[in-house]
Amino acid sequence: KKNEEASLMENHLCDLTVIPAGRLSAAKLLKASGLNPVVLEARDRVGGRTFTVRNKETKWVDLGGAYIGPTQNRILRLAKEYSIKTYKVNEQEHLVHYVNVSPSVSLTLSMFYPAAASEHTLSDCRSLGRLVKERKFAGGSSQISECMAKELGDRVKLQSPVYRIDQTGDMVVVETVNKETYTARYVVVATPPALNLKMHFNPELPPLRNQLIYRVPMGCVIKCMVYYKENFWRKKGYCGTMVIEEEGAPIGLTLDDTKPDGTVPAIMGFILARKCRKLADLTKEERLRRICEIYSRVLGSEEALHPVHYEEKNWCEEEYSGGCYTAYFPPGTLTQFGRVLREPVGRLYFAGTETASEWSGYMEGAVQAGERAAREVLCAMGKIHQSQIHQPEPESQEVPALPFVTSFWERNLPSVGGFLKVTGVSAVLSAAAAAGLVAYKKGLFPRS
Amino acid sequence: KKNEEASLMENHLCDLTVIPAGRLSAAKLLKASGLNPVVLEARDRVGGRTFTVRNKETKWVDLGGAYIGPTQNRILRLAKEYSIKTYKVNEQEHLVHYVNVSPSVSLTLSMFYPAAASEHTLSDCRSLGRLVKERKFAGGSSQISECMAKELGDRVKLQSPVYRIDQTGDMVVVETVNKETYTARYVVVATPPALNLKMHFNPELPPLRNQLIYRVPMGCVIKCMVYYKENFWRKKGYCGTMVIEEEGAPIGLTLDDTKPDGTVPAIMGFILARKCRKLADLTKEERLRRICEIYSRVLGSEEALHPVHYEEKNWCEEEYSGGCYTAYFPPGTLTQFGRVLREPVGRLYFAGTETASEWSGYMEGAVQAGERAAREVLCAMGKIHQSQIHQPEPESQEVPALPFVTSFWERNLPSVGGFLKVTGVSAVLSAAAAAGLVAYKKGLFPRS
């Protein structure tokens, strides 16, 4: 038994590529369990699809994953451990829902939702905003990966994209583009599923996984940050949240990105899907111009046309992300291939936010998946029992889940089925009553 | 100018991986133009998605792409050059169209189409069979790739999967998993689009191509050959073509695969899509049992239950194919990403049957794309004019396109729009006539 431990320590336990908190949280858990993990990171930085840039114009800015909210307890636990504070995204003032269905007839609606209303009973987009995009990390989301990487020290190898995984021997042999070879007993592959294709496998992956990885395309997004001298929208009573429905508008959703202390006023906006594909060919300046134009129109403010700085990140150009925010599963993919999504292949275990069973596609999902994969390895080594692989997470005390406040009608309205039943029964009763009335009037009942 | 030629000859001109006739036909054309191409093949054999196996039980059998037909003139030209004969798939006798909509109510229809009818006026599947699957190559389809490979000699490097393409210098540097490095002025990447993901690019691919390659999944198919002692179906008046519509049936389409001289009686069948995913987990024996069972039921013959040999190939397990027959483009993919499908990236040119403008997904498409990409390289070198890149192919004299024989009604029936117009006009006229008749009868017209 001693020998086994020793041979383990001699070799590297590897955990591969990309996912932000995913691969690092797996490695962190394995290290805490007394193992010797090595993290092979394809890029020249940690953080994956989170990406905090620091410069004098912005102080710091999250050009990748940034938002967190209640029930994302694992990422909140990591933040707390590293003393990274969270702050609420500004939603004090009114948001704007701008709908421009047809420019040719100039049908334009502007709607305002009072921000002080009950927490979860507003429109979907509003409640989505509250839940999914409630908070950010002060100082940027990449800090969590950076802190974990610091803790893991030289176990984290940057610029080491894996191109080959050989499981034909007793140990798994992993080769990187920068010509290094790692030998390990187990490997955690923590990439978006399709990025498994970057690796050449020996033996080949099983047929269903080999096909799955062609069927999970990555989303299409440019994240855009427009900086202004002043927070003019708040003066007008707007919080900075805009929901924009207009085919020609580059941006569909914005949020205030001003720092929590009120400095560096900014609006964050997403260019998504087909709009991203259309606007990717423009120059950065032209994109900024179009973004400011729609902000000006929606906020009814000339000041929106005069930004002082601009940051953007087109995630479609990243070879080791393939896109953002996450992989999507076209219709039929989960039903036909879902069962092999996190099924181990020999000594390979699969992490990455796409394999999470909660908050898949979010930082929280990446941590959940990374820790689950790490425990799968521990279970395979006989260190924990199978029942310990999937573990619930205690609720964050700082960011508790808010109760869903429901109205009388939300609580008491019947289901569609129930409603039809009630309608049907009422109709029968009404018909019977009407028939009775007619019969009575026609004198078909004996009068006493 | 002499120097340029010399330096070109010193370096390898590379053309990469997978597609059967595609990469080899590109190399063949480049060699014929006096260049020095190198073919890097990922597998231990040439042919890609064609795969001719030779053994005593079958003589030879095509477990991959096999069928050709009229208008596929490029692949027919290559076959003629190498004296590879074609033969017609047997369709002398009746085909069976078996429809079993609901086994619980035993609704079963068997329909017979007379094979002697006019060439192209039968059901879609029949005419599809005639056109797309009219012929096969005597001796197997891989012969074409094998002949080209022989011609190219040691320029073809087997077991050389490419994992890295570096375009940052004056020359393109290509690295293979078997640790070899090739330097070339131009590279033709002749893989299914998604298999570009097997390579790490420096610089990264442009955003739209980087996203395209995640959106072109490979089809799902097991090709199955059941061998019998005797050609019992022909004795019963069936040609061997079965179109089977029954959810529980493993096979949807079969064709006679008996050798042209009548030896080695066999039926070829495809297990496709969701059926492939369901049946892949069974043992080979169990799959054969289920296939024979449905053949027995559809042909009404006990003899179908007693095969003498079985060959199958599950293309989903091939790492360097990803699946078969071809990549498919889910809705929106061609409209949103199609324009970069064959757009060169620096010194990389893209071939592969998926990039063909005719017969995409077929051997013919692979040749068309390979030759087009080769001419793109020749054009970039200044050796041919841009107008010469896309070239039409003279019609095969041996396998000419058959005229579409249309009936009187097919020629003269109006379009749906036209039909509605005629109906509308008739209705108005009829109504007017009827009104006239009524008016006449009622004596509303003055009688003279």
Side-chain angles (χ1 to χ4, degrees), chain A residues 175 179 198-199 336, chain B residues 175 179 198-199 277 336:
Chain A
E175 287 173 89
K179 311 257 189 303
K198 283 284 174 196
M199 304 160 201
Q336 293 280 313
Chain B
E175 288 173 88
K179 311 256 189 305
K198 283 284 173 196
M199 303 159 202
R277 293 187 280 271
Q336 293 281 313

Side-chain angles (χ1 to χ4, degrees), chain B residues 168-363:
Chain B
T168 53
D170 285 346
M171 303 286 280
V172 191
V173 179
V174 175
E175 288 173 88
T176 63
V177 169
N178 57 325
K179 311 256 189 305
E180 283 177 11
T181 301
Y182 296 85
T183 306
R185 287 178 60 192
Y186 299 95
V187 170
V188 175
V189 182
T191 71
L195 280 158
N196 289 187
L197 280 165
K198 283 284 173 196
M199 303 159 202
H200 298 243
F201 294 93
N202 189 14
E204 293 172 322
L205 292 174
L208 220 59
R209 182 160 196 100
N210 188 36
Q211 284 243 311
L212 164 71
I213 56 182
Y214 288 89
R215 283 165 168 77
V216 273
M218 302 302 291
C220 215
V221 59
I222 308 176
K223 190 170 184 179
C224 308
M225 301 291 195
V226 185
Y227 294 84
Y228 293 101
K229 207 178 147 205
E230 278 191 298
N231 201 318
F232 63 86
W233 54 96
R234 296 181 73 169
K235 284 189 203 152
K236 293 196 72 163
Y238 301 139
C239 66
T241 304
M242 297 180 248
V243 179
I244 304 170
E245 293 182 49
E246 178 185 285
E247 187 52 39
I251 301 277
L253 177 71
T254 71
L255 288 175
D256 190 325
D257 206 62
T258 306
K259 296 286 172 293
D261 61 2
T263 59
V264 199
I267 292 178
M268 183 290 303
F270 292 120
I271 305 180
L272 296 168
R274 66 187 181 287
K275 295 184 176 184
C276 175
R277 293 187 280 271
K278 270 184 197 159
L279 275 72
D281 291 339
L282 302 179
T283 61
K284 193 175 165 181
E285 288 68 34
E286 178 61 18
R287 262 191 304 276
L288 172 60
R289 199 185 61 73
R290 294 202 192 181
I291 292 167
C292 291
E293 214 171 77
I294 187 72
Y295 289 176
S296 165
R297 202 137 46 84
V298 173
L299 296 170
S301 164
E302 206 266 342
E303 285 170 278
L305 297 174
H306 306 291
V308 294
H309 184 63
Y310 179 56
E311 294 278 349
E312 66 168 24
K313 173 76 187 162
N314 182 356
W315 284 90
C316 305
E317 67 195 9
E318 290 249 330
E319 178 166 22
Y320 296 117
S321 300
C324 265
Y325 324 136
T326 181
Y328 61 89
F329 298 81
T333 311
L334 274 176
T335 50
Q336 293 281 313
F337 299 91
R339 67 187 162 94
V340 298
L341 186 58
R342 46 180 171 256
E343 192 173 278
V345 173
R347 288 159 174 267
L348 309 185
Y349 293 84
F350 296 96
T353 188
E354 283 82 1
T355 70
S357 58
E358 269 178 28
W359 289 108
S360 171
Y362 291 83
M363 292 180 274

Side-chain angles (χ1 to χ4, degrees), chain A residues 40-82:
Chain A
L40 300 176
E41 166 59 56
R43 306 155 189 273
D44 57 2
R45 61 175 181 84
V46 295
R49 283 176 272 171
T50 66
F51 183 30
T52 304
V53 168
R54 286 100 179 175
N55 56 34
K56 71 173 195 320
E57 291 90 349
T58 68
K59 292 186 184 170
W60 55 267
V61 53
D62 277 331
L63 293 180
Y67 299 99
I68 45 158
T71 78
Q72 300 188 347
N73 297 311
R74 293 171 181 85
I75 191 84
L76 286 164
R77 179 231 309 152
L78 286 174
K80 193 178 177 185
E81 182 181 335
Y82 296 119

Side-chain angles (χ1 to χ4, degrees), chain A residues 30-153:
Chain A
L30 291 171
K31 177 171 169 270
S33 306
L35 302 179
N36 183 26
V38 167
V39 176
L40 300 176
E41 166 59 56
R43 306 155 189 273
D44 57 2
R45 61 175 181 84
V46 295
R49 283 176 272 171
T50 66
F51 183 30
T52 304
V53 168
R54 286 100 179 175
N55 56 34
K56 71 173 195 320
E57 291 90 349
T58 68
K59 292 186 184 170
W60 55 267
V61 53
D62 277 331
L63 293 180
Y67 299 99
I68 45 158
T71 78
Q72 300 188 347
N73 297 311
R74 293 171 181 85
I75 191 84
L76 286 164
R77 179 231 309 152
L78 286 174
K80 193 178 177 185
E81 182 181 335
Y82 296 119
S83 305
I84 298 162
K85 294 272 175 293
T86 70
Y87 68 96
K88 279 197 172 184
V89 174
N90 175 49
E91 292 195 299
Q92 296 286 311
E93 300 85 1
H94 291 183
L95 67 76
V96 189
H97 190 161
Y98 178 89
V99 183
N100 194 349
V101 187
S102 164
S104 64
V105 291
S106 294
L107 171 62
T108 309
L109 304 167
S110 289
M111 298 184 289
F112 306 91
Y113 298 110
S118 71
E119 287 294 335
H120 297 295
T121 52
L122 297 174
S123 75
D124 273 0
C125 74
R126 171 93 189 132
S127 74
L128 214 76
R130 293 303 282 201
L131 288 167
V132 177
K133 297 187 163 41
E134 191 190 81
R135 286 161 188 275
K136 293 185 67 179
F137 293 113
S141 60
S142 286
Q143 289 174 106
I144 294 186
S145 295
E146 288 157 5
C147 288
M148 286 195 284
K150 201 176 163 192
E151 194 176 307
L152 288 160

